[in-house]
Amino acid sequence: MNCHCGNKETYSNCCKKAHLDIANAKTAEQLMRSRYSAFALADGNYLMQSHHSSTRPTKEKKSIVKWAKSVQWIKLEIEETYKGLENDTEGTVTFNAYFYEKGKVDVIHEKSAFAKENGLWMYLGLSK
Ligand SMILES: [Zn+2]
């Protein structure tokens, strides 16, 4: 079975590595994929941990988890990446995340900004 994020790897060989130790997300794309998988698993702790401290929505954690559980995650499509490689300190990932909500397919299309914090990739928010 492929990982939640759509990689042709098992979850154990893919996003689970980052979920166990976020230092295993070596690129912004890997962090993005692990965050999608965390949404699919409604793993609120990881969603907070992988969020840059300057923008971390700690107060919304409960509602994020509740929402993540209430929808069915279909797939993630990475459209484009810019920088975000091992030796970079910032980058963007443009993606489409598909899910069913109330019987309808919906999609989040987002260009996300990522930055390293203490040497670890973190999600900052929408890219400008
Ligand atoms: Zn994965």
Side-chain angles (χ1 to χ4, degrees):
M1 205 185 111
N2 291 352
C3 185
H4 307 281
C5 76
N7 263 343
K8 287 184 175 44
E9 289 283 351
T10 59
Y11 168 63
S12 301
N13 281 322
C14 188
C15 293
K16 191 178 183 182
K17 291 182 178 177
H19 291 169
L20 292 174
D21 182 353
I22 198 166
N24 288 321
K26 301 288 185 199
T27 66
E29 181 178 336
Q30 282 174 7
L31 188 82
M32 166 63 226
R33 288 181 172 279
S34 71
R35 282 180 52 81
Y36 175 86
S37 288
F39 270 103
L41 296 166
D43 181 347
N45 291 333
Y46 187 78
L47 290 171
M48 293 301 120
Q49 192 197 356
S50 59
H51 214 296
H52 199 275
S53 64
S54 64
T55 52
R56 189 175 290 148
T58 313
K59 284 182 185 149
E60 285 139 61
K61 181 181 170 186
K62 263 190 182 171
S63 56
I64 290 168
V65 168
K66 197 176 163 193
W67 177 74
K69 277 184 188 163
S70 76
V71 304
Q72 282 174 282
W73 295 89
I74 303 170
K75 65 172 178 177
L76 172 69
E77 268 175 12
I78 304 288
E79 214 173 80
E80 193 178 20
T81 61
Y82 176 71
K83 294 190 178 173
L85 299 178
E86 275 200 69
N87 295 321
D88 292 321
T89 52
E90 51 182 40
T92 63
V93 178
T94 308
F95 67 88
N96 295 305
Y98 294 86
F99 56 92
Y100 283 112
E101 186 167 20
K102 295 173 188 141
K104 281 197 330 202
V105 176
D106 209 341
V107 59
I108 297 171
H109 173 77
E110 185 179 311
K111 184 175 182 182
S112 300
F114 294 85
K116 273 190 186 154
E117 184 172 32
N118 302 320
L120 301 170
W121 282 110
M122 295 285 146
Y123 171 63
L124 259 179
L126 292 181
S127 174
K128 285 173 193 94

